[in-house]
């Protein structure tokens, strides 16, 4: 039997691949100059410190070279002059779906967002290109003092909390794309959970790119105060275009003493999207930051969620699933920075490469010499479906000092022709057998997603697999 | 020879090879529904290969002859189509499928047999699964384990028989089901197979040792050598082979000996 395939690039993304024509009320035009930034600042009514922050980000963006000395040369295919940096229908999100303009609302209805909100969420923010079109938190959650608004509203209405942490977890000059985001950011969420409040149901944001040659640069800042708990989920889609689209977000998380944050991403980008995202959390004493990340689709994803364990006993965790379809490159991993005694980090990464897909794992674990009682566990497993599928692993582990423990396991496996034959002998078609094996490979991680998402994940994996077995 | 080919698994003058190397050289065999036949033979006689070829393993090419399931040729059909038509192979070396539980695996296999749009009823499924498991002395927690992953030899074989019991094939080929089993496991697995015997199933038991046939008593025993059935008899033939080895039968009936008519 040949597991050689004829990968079908036109995978049916029945969920995300549609688009309605739009007339945008606000359009920063094509290309990036200081004037673009002023336009964005003017339209959004930025305070002066934000305008200055943007300009500084822009300067750093220009200074920093593309990181092609370690990352893929495909980054050079991004033509920054051809991108549109700001498109919106207005800057103030609506609080009810009825108020959301019809042309935007139908997109989210088709994606099932209002329905999910009713069913199992504490609040939803829905971003359409540059701005949130809808943002609402359930009354009961709001009454507990939880703030859940867009980043623009957050920086204006809650500067005392916002300013303290904004750009502190991820400085604008962290990398070229965090600098770009700092210059042109728009949208994203600002969340604050007061001490001791445990938000029962997840808050969710949905990011939708609708326009061609567009760059989406949302900025999310989440602060969970002492002993509080939050689960946040984000979903992302875009229709398929001929030309490249850029998504470059910055997400900063702050877990105060004893707080817990769980940040869940299920992205299903179309294969023209460059997805270059910087995500990092700070965990104070006995706090826990956990990233659960599922990367499906995109042309190139570069994303290494990190946790800085700043207080004693802090815990960091990254659980990630990446599926690199034909022609796609998932360059993902994790960064664990141990900065206090008795901190614990755990990285579990599973990737699947289909067709000419390539998955890369980059993991950084840093434990300095003066610390003791730190532990890291890293497991990364790659599954290759076709003979020309590819995987690479680049672990960078620096552990110094006495009494720190680190454990690293990596594996690369393939679904063998004999496994497929075995499953076919039980009556499963070759494609069904392949799907079942792939779902089995990621099963233990999928269990960690909320039920609604794990069902969706399984469906997305099945969709991706459909085209890959001929 | 075959009495009624419309309710039998029938192999007709089958020639097959792997690459340029011929493996089966004119094998003819007929297993009517309701009977249990055994194939015995030395290592390398092509016994396991026969099982794989019937199931449609892609490594082998059938050069001539035919395999008929209830009178219809199954050559040229995908392995999963053959399976859904009612052919089951209990593997000598069952494959591990990490992360896929036995319950989900069997469920997917049953689901694959339903018409498009029809869903397997979960409560009925589990009721049936648990009943079959109890009959095979398989502990309940078995269902949540990944298929064959970390299983002992005995557990793997019991898992094969459990799948057979759930899928209810009309013909089952048991390839060296006794290999790797201690005597207790052998008794359990044999009891499981015997429980499935009946007028609606034909079985072909492939084994190297007579030992298995003490527990699964066959209606007929065939001796395979160099890609053919060279001699057939009743269950006493197995005892004779056990006592005297294969040399006499090969000398008498094999390629180098005088062919039986």
């Amino acid at each position: 039997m040949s597991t050689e395939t004829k990968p079908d690039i036109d995978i049916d993304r029945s969920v995300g691949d549609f688009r309605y024509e739009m007339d945008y009320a606000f359009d920063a035009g094509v290309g990036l100059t200081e004037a673009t930034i002023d336009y964005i600042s003017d339209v959004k009514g930025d305070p002066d410190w934000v305008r200055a922050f943007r300009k500084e980000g822009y300067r750093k963006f220009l200074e920093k070279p593309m990181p092609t000395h370690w990352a893929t040369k495909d980054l050079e295919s991004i033509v920054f002059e051809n991108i549109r940096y700001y498109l919106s229908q207005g800057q103030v999100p609506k609080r009810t779906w009825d108020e959301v303009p019809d042309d935007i609302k139908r997109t989210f209805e088709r994606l099932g967002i209002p329905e999910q909100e009713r069913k199992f969420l504490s609040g939803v923010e829905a971003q359409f290109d540059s701005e949130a079109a809808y943002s609402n938190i359930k009354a009961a959650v709001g009454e507990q003092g939880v703030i859940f608004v867009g980043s623009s509203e957050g920086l204006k209405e809650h500067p005392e909390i916002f300013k303290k942490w904004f750009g502190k977890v991820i400085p604008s000059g962290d990398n070229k794309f965090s600098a770009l985001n700092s210059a042109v950011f728009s949208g994203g969420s600002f969340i604050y959970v007061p001490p001791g409040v445990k938000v029962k149901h997840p808050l969710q944001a949905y990011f939708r790119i609708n326009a061609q040659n567009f760059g989406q640069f949302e900025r999310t800042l989440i602060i969970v105060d002492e002993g509080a708990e939050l689960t946040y989920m984000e979903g992302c889609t875009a229709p398929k275009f001929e030309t490249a689209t850029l998504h470059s977000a910055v997400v900063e998380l702050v877990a105060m003493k004893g707080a817990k944050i769980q940040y869940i991403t299920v992205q299903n980008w179309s294969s023209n999207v460059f997805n270059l995202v910087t995500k990092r959390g700070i965990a104070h004493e006995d706090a826990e930051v956990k990233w659960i990340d599922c990367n499906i689709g995109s042309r190139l994803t570069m994303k290494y969620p990190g946790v800085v364990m700043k207080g004693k006993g802090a815990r960091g965790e990254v659980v990630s699933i990446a599926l690199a379809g034909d022609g796609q490159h998932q360059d993902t991993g994790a960064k664990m920075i141990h900065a206090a005694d008795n901190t614990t980090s755990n990285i579990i990464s599973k990737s699947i490469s289909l067709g000419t897909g390539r998955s890369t794992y980059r993991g950084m674990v840093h434990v300095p010499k003066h610390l003791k009682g730190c532990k890291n566990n890293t497991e990364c497993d790659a599954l290759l479906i076709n003979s020309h599928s590819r995987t690479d692993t680049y672990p960078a582990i620096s552990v110094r000092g006495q009494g720190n423990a680190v454990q690293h396991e990596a594996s690369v496996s393939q679904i063998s022709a004999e496994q497929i034959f075995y499953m076919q002998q039980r009556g499963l078609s070759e494609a069904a057998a392949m799907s079942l094996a792939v779902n089995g490979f990621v099963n233990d991680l999928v269990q960690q997603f909320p039920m609604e998402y794990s069902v969706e994940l399984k469906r997305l994996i099945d969709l991706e697999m459909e085209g890959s077995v001929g | 020879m075959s009495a009624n080919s419309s309710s039998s698994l029938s192999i007709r003058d089958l020639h097959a090879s792997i690459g340029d190397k011929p493996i089966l050289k004119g094998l003819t065999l007929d297993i009517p529904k309701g009977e249990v036949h055994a194939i015995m033979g030395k290592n390398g006689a092509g016994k396991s290969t026969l099982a794989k070829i019937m199931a449609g393993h892609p490594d082998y090419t059938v050069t001539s002859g035919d395999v008929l399931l209830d009178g219809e040729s199954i050559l040229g059909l995908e392995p999963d189509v053959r399976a859904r038509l009612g052919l089951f192979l209990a593997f000598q070396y069952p494959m591990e499928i990490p992360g896929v539980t036995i319950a989900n695996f069997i469920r997917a296999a049953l689901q694959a047999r339903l018409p498009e749009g029809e869903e397997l009823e979960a409560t009925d499924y589990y009721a049936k699964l648990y009943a079959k498991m109890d009959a095979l002395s398989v502990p309940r927690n078995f269902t949540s384990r990944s298929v064959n992953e970390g299983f002992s030899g005995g557990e793997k074989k019991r898992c094969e028989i459990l799948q057979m019991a759930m899928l209810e094939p009309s013909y089952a080929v048991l390839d060296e089901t006794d290999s790797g089993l201690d005597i207790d496991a052998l008794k359990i697995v044999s009891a499981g197979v015997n429980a499935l015997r009946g007028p609606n199933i034909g079985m072909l038991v492939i084994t190297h040792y007579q030992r298995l046939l003490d527990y699964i008593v066959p209606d007929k025993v065939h001796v395979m050598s160099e890609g053919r059935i060279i001699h057939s008899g009743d269950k006493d033939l197995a005892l004779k082979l056990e006592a005297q080895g294969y040399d006499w039968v090969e000398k008498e009936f094999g390629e180098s000996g005088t062919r039986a008519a």
Side-chain angles (χ1 to χ4, degrees):
Chain A
M1 170 183 342
S2 160
T3 49
E4 233 12 76
T5 65
K6 302 176 284 277
D8 176 3
I9 308 170
D10 295 316
I11 287 162
D12 170 28
R13 290 180 182 281
S14 52
V15 182
D17 190 17
F18 65 90
R19 164 171 198 270
Y20 299 115
E21 280 308 312
M22 289 286 297
D23 288 316
Y24 292 93
F26 302 92
D27 182 348
V30 174
L32 181 60
T33 64
E34 233 176 282
T36 320
I37 290 162
D38 280 323
Y39 177 87
I40 295 171
S41 266
D42 291 344
V43 166
K44 296 176 82 71
D46 280 343
D48 289 345
W49 72 269
V50 174
R51 191 182 295 257
F53 179 86
R54 290 184 186 279
K55 297 264 170 93
E56 193 200 339
Y58 179 58
R59 216 181 54 244
K60 286 176 179 160
F61 167 70
L62 294 179
E63 277 168 23
K64 285 198 172 286
M66 275 291 195
T68 43
H69 58 288
W70 60 269
T72 169
K73 297 265 182 292
D74 194 28
L75 283 173
E76 282 159 8
S77 316
I78 303 170
V79 184
F80 293 103
E81 301 85 72
N82 291 348
I83 291 173
R84 295 194 283 174
Y85 290 82
Y86 184 88
L87 286 173
S88 84
Q89 287 290 63
Q91 289 74 35
V92 182
K94 307 299 186 220
R95 295 292 188 222
T96 69
W97 284 106
D98 285 344
E99 298 168 80
V100 176
D102 284 343
D103 45 3
I104 293 177
K105 189 168 69 180
R106 61 185 171 179
T107 291
F108 288 114
E109 275 179 350
R110 192 159 160 181
L111 292 165
I113 311 300
E115 193 194 338
Q116 289 174 15
E117 179 185 16
R118 280 194 302 276
K119 278 201 324 216
F120 66 95
L121 298 169
S122 286
V124 165
E125 184 188 357
Q127 178 163 343
F128 191 85
D129 292 332
S130 294
E131 294 285 3
Y134 173 82
S135 169
N136 190 36
I137 181 168
K138 285 192 176 148
V141 184
E143 281 158 15
Q144 293 178 292
V146 177
I147 301 168
F148 178 39
V149 294
S151 65
S152 317
E153 194 177 335
L155 66 87
K156 277 180 216 156
E157 306 294 327
H158 309 281
E160 71 292 346
I161 320 172
F162 193 95
K163 253 182 115 164
K164 188 174 172 193
W165 294 107
F166 181 73
K168 301 297 194 302
V169 185
I170 302 171
S172 57
D174 187 80
N175 63 74
K176 191 173 179 74
F177 294 95
S178 64
L180 175 62
N181 176 283
S182 299
V184 296
F185 75 91
S186 182
S189 308
F190 169 69
I191 296 171
Y192 172 75
V193 183
V197 174
K198 295 180 172 144
V199 184
K200 215 167 132 197
H201 299 288
L203 295 175
Q204 176 173 284
Y206 202 93
F207 298 98
R208 173 69 176 176
I209 294 178
N210 188 66
Q212 191 156 11
N213 296 324
F214 175 69
Q216 190 173 54
F217 305 97
E218 88 269 11
R219 180 106 195 179
T220 289
L221 173 61
I222 298 175
I223 296 136
V224 176
D225 219 324
E226 289 190 9
E229 292 179 14
L230 174 73
T231 297
Y232 179 85
M233 309 200 292
E234 60 172 359
C236 330
T237 57
K240 191 155 52 195
F241 292 121
E242 293 306 310
T243 54
T245 300
L246 176 60
H247 175 256
S248 189
V250 167
V251 176
E252 299 175 286
L253 309 183
V254 181
M256 302 306 287
K257 186 176 174 184
K260 278 188 186 172
I261 304 179
Q262 185 158 274
Y263 191 108
I264 302 167
T265 304
V266 177
Q267 68 167 55
N268 180 23
W269 291 119
S270 55
S271 49
N272 56 297
V273 175
F274 281 91
N275 181 45
L276 311 166
V277 171
T278 310
K279 288 180 164 169
R280 198 170 302 151
I282 289 180
H284 289 92
E285 193 176 335
D286 291 326
E288 180 180 306
V289 171
K290 179 171 183 175
W291 299 96
I292 302 180
D293 208 28
C294 177
N295 300 301
I296 295 178
S298 82
R299 168 169 170 174
L300 169 67
T301 287
M302 289 174 66
K303 192 204 287 179
Y304 322 98
V307 183
V308 180
M309 286 150 278
K310 212 178 166 186
K312 281 182 186 167
R315 294 178 303 280
E317 187 163 3
V318 172
V319 171
S320 94
I321 300 172
L323 200 159
D326 202 42
Q328 299 174 352
H329 185 179
Q330 302 286 4
D331 194 326
T332 61
K335 282 184 185 175
M336 292 296 182
I337 312 297
H338 292 255
D341 290 341
N342 301 318
T343 47
T344 312
S345 63
N346 188 29
I347 303 170
I348 304 174
S349 157
K350 291 200 175 186
S351 69
I352 302 147
S353 308
L354 292 175
T356 60
R358 176 180 175 192
S359 59
T360 302
Y361 169 82
R362 293 179 207 274
M364 185 215 260
V365 176
H366 181 69
V367 183
K369 196 176 174 180
H370 64 278
L371 297 184
K372 51 186 190 299
C374 298
K375 286 190 192 113
N376 165 263
N377 175 57
T378 301
E379 293 167 37
C380 53
D381 300 318
L383 182 68
L384 300 175
I385 301 294
N386 307 110
S387 58
H388 42 288
S389 309
R390 178 173 168 187
T391 184
D392 326 89
T393 302
Y394 303 98
I397 299 173
S398 75
V399 179
R400 298 197 172 77
Q402 303 280 310
N404 297 312
V406 61
Q407 185 177 325
H408 178 93
E409 283 176 38
S411 76
V412 178
S413 52
Q414 276 189 293
I415 298 170
S416 69
E418 293 300 325
Q419 281 172 306
I420 296 293
F421 176 66
Y422 181 69
M423 289 187 267
Q424 277 192 283
Q425 211 301 305
R426 298 304 181 244
L428 298 169
S429 69
E430 189 182 355
M434 197 64 105
S435 260
L436 194 65
V438 168
N439 273 298
F441 174 71
V442 293
N443 185 46
D444 53 337
L445 302 194
V446 170
Q447 300 295 330
Q448 303 209 24
F449 286 74
M451 220 259 282
E452 292 79 2
Y453 268 38
S454 60
V455 172
E456 170 71 1
L457 259 182
K458 189 185 170 311
R459 204 188 60 80
L460 287 175
I461 290 170
D462 287 345
L463 264 181
E464 287 282 338
M465 296 306 303
E466 249 172 41
S468 73
V469 180
Chain B
M1 282 306 290
S2 140
N4 182 2
S5 68
S6 69
S7 62
S8 69
L9 174 59
S10 189
I11 305 163
R12 303 271 170 85
D13 192 26
L14 194 65
H15 290 74
S17 53
I18 183 164
D20 294 335
K21 193 183 166 211
I23 307 273
L24 300 185
K25 302 167 185 170
L27 188 139
T28 295
L29 186 62
D30 208 68
I31 303 133
K33 238 179 222 173
E35 292 188 11
V36 174
H37 289 208
I39 287 190
M40 300 184 73
K42 282 183 173 172
N43 283 331
K47 303 189 299 290
S48 289
T49 306
L50 171 65
K52 286 184 185 171
I53 288 170
M54 282 194 280
H57 195 287
D59 284 355
Y60 303 94
T61 315
V62 171
T63 47
S64 69
D66 210 345
V67 179
L68 306 168
L69 205 130
D70 291 336
E72 299 291 328
S73 174
I74 56 169
L75 294 182
L77 299 177
E78 286 291 310
D80 54 304
V81 179
R82 300 180 193 204
R84 293 197 298 272
L85 285 174
L87 180 67
F88 183 89
L89 169 60
F91 282 62
Q92 183 179 5
Y93 303 109
M95 300 303 296
E96 296 182 3
I97 312 168
V100 178
T101 63
I102 289 176
N104 282 343
F105 184 54
I106 298 177
R107 193 175 178 171
L110 284 169
Q111 182 69 47
R113 286 159 167 79
L114 295 180
E116 187 101 7
E118 210 171 295
E119 280 287 321
L120 199 67
E121 177 53 55
T123 34
D124 295 350
Y125 167 67
Y126 277 99
K128 184 176 170 185
L129 181 64
Y130 289 144
K132 303 280 185 190
M133 289 170 73
D134 292 349
L136 278 169
S137 313
V138 172
R140 291 278 172 96
N141 65 9
F142 217 62
T143 53
S144 57
R145 292 174 66 185
S146 295
V147 178
N148 294 319
E149 199 179 32
F151 283 21
S152 69
E155 286 173 326
K156 282 185 182 173
K157 297 300 165 79
R158 253 186 283 178
C159 181
E160 293 293 285
I161 303 307
L162 174 64
Q163 291 174 55
M164 177 170 140
M166 288 297 290
L167 299 177
E168 299 174 330
S170 33
Y171 298 97
V173 180
L174 281 64
D175 186 11
E176 308 255 357
T177 295
D178 51 333
S179 69
L181 296 188
D182 60 30
I183 196 73
D184 292 332
L186 183 67
K187 280 180 184 170
I188 292 172
V189 166
S190 304
V193 172
N194 286 329
L196 297 173
R197 285 178 84 152
N200 296 322
I201 186 168
M203 291 193 201
L204 180 62
V205 178
I206 294 172
T207 182
H208 185 63
Y209 298 105
Q210 194 272 334
R211 185 179 73 151
L212 176 68
L213 305 181
D214 285 342
Y215 300 97
I216 304 173
V217 180
D219 298 301
K220 275 192 179 157
V221 173
H222 308 277
V223 180
M224 187 168 174
S225 175
E226 292 177 25
R228 293 185 303 116
I229 301 296
I230 56 166
H231 188 52
S232 301
D234 61 14
K235 63 179 163 45
D236 294 337
L237 177 58
L239 295 170
K240 193 173 173 190
L241 289 167
E242 177 79 354
Q244 301 181 17
Y246 288 98
D247 286 347
W248 67 271
V249 72
E250 288 188 351
K251 205 167 276 172
E252 197 167 332
F253 303 101
E255 202 111 288
S256 48
T258 44
R259 288 284 290 274

